[in-house]
DNA sequence: ACTCTGACCCAGT
DNA sequence: AACTGGGCCAGAG
């Protein structure tokens, strides 16, 4: 199952700073994953220790079943959402 | 070697 | 805005 890749994915997620967000696609690209699906998968299994709430879908909305919890956590660290959607232009994390 | 099912993504109706 | 359909990858049955 490629533990190596899973590890890199967790690292990337863990490196997203408080007050910013990243998309599944971003994480996948940075970690070298072939598809964003894998990111969601990894988080679903062992994302409990990670800042999973900073990971959003490409359009800035969270995964449906998590929306409430996730938006609440983001709001708590200064990331404001307009309804379900977070303004990626403003909060998206770009590694430098 | 199938078919299903997902914290996905993109483009077209 | 709501639905497609195609592509993607890995587990489970």
């Amino acid at each position: 199952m490629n533990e190596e890749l899973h590890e890199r994915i967790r690292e990337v997620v863990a490196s997203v700073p408080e007050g910013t967000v990243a998309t599944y696609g971003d994480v996948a690209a940075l970690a070298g994953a072939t598809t964003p699906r894998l990111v969601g998968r990894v988080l679903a299994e062992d994302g409990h220790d990670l800042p999973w709430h900073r990971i959003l879908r490409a359009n800035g909305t969270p995964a449906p079943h998590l929306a409430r919890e996730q938006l609440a956590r983001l709001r708590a660290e200064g990331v404001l959402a307009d309804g379900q959607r977070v303004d990626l232009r403003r909060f998206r994390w770009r590694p430098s």
Side-chain angles (χ1 to χ4, degrees):
Chain A
M1 52 156 155
N2 203 344
E3 193 53 41
E4 165 80 1
L5 178 56
H6 283 217
E7 190 52 41
R8 285 204 304 278
I9 291 177
R10 283 191 289 269
E11 281 178 25
V12 173
V13 173
S15 71
V16 178
E18 180 180 327
T20 69
V21 300
T23 70
Y24 291 92
D26 290 344
V27 176
L30 288 174
T34 56
T35 167
R37 277 188 179 281
L38 187 57
V39 175
R41 218 167 144 48
V42 170
L43 290 183
E45 295 168 357
D46 31 61
H48 52 321
D49 295 322
L50 303 165
W52 55 269
H53 56 282
R54 303 196 187 132
I55 309 304
L56 300 167
R57 301 198 281 189
N59 61 5
T61 66
H65 57 284
L66 288 170
R68 276 158 58 54
E69 171 72 10
Q70 182 158 15
L71 292 176
R73 287 181 175 230
L74 287 175
R75 190 165 53 251
E77 55 184 68
V79 178
L80 308 179
D82 170 25
Q84 296 274 281
R85 186 160 50 268
V86 169
D87 187 346
L88 292 180
R89 290 180 308 178
R90 205 168 47 173
F91 298 108
R92 192 179 204 165
W93 174 56
R94 332 178 205 301
S96 54

